[in-house]
Amino acid sequence: MRMINLGRNRKPLIEKSSVLMFRLDNKTIFALCDKFKIDYDLESEVLSDTTKKALIGEIKNNLENFIK
């Protein structure tokens, strides 16, 4: 907790967002894509940004529904 107030007022932590990062193996990622019906290319060298964004959106929605 800050003892000295210098500069602008800060928002409370509850009003902010934070980044959580974790690593998943591709086998798990592909299983999640299958479960959420997200298209992916098994022959590509890297996971496409479109696939990543769709998967992140589904995971986020499921977590939000889980805590309700």
Side-chain angles (χ1 to χ4, degrees):
M1 181 171 200
R2 294 182 184 187
M3 300 303 288
I4 301 171
N5 275 339
L6 297 176
R8 62 185 174 90
N9 291 334
R10 303 287 180 178
K11 289 182 181 179
L13 185 58
I14 192 80
E15 294 179 17
K16 297 179 183 181
S17 63
S18 299
V19 175
L20 298 176
M21 296 170 58
F22 59 95
R23 183 176 301 273
L24 293 174
D25 62 282
N26 285 342
K27 189 174 183 179
T28 304
I29 289 173
F30 296 147
L32 285 169
C33 286
D34 291 339
K35 180 172 179 63
F36 297 133
K37 297 179 177 67
I38 297 171
D39 291 330
Y40 59 92
D41 182 9
L42 276 174
E43 302 301 319
S44 67
E45 292 184 14
V46 294
L47 202 57
S48 72
D49 288 340
T50 307
T51 303
K52 287 180 193 177
K53 287 178 183 178
L55 188 56
I56 289 167
E58 288 292 339
I59 291 170
K60 183 180 175 191
N61 288 338
N62 278 281
L63 283 174
E64 287 173 349
N65 291 335
F66 177 74
I67 60 172
K68 287 182 183 180

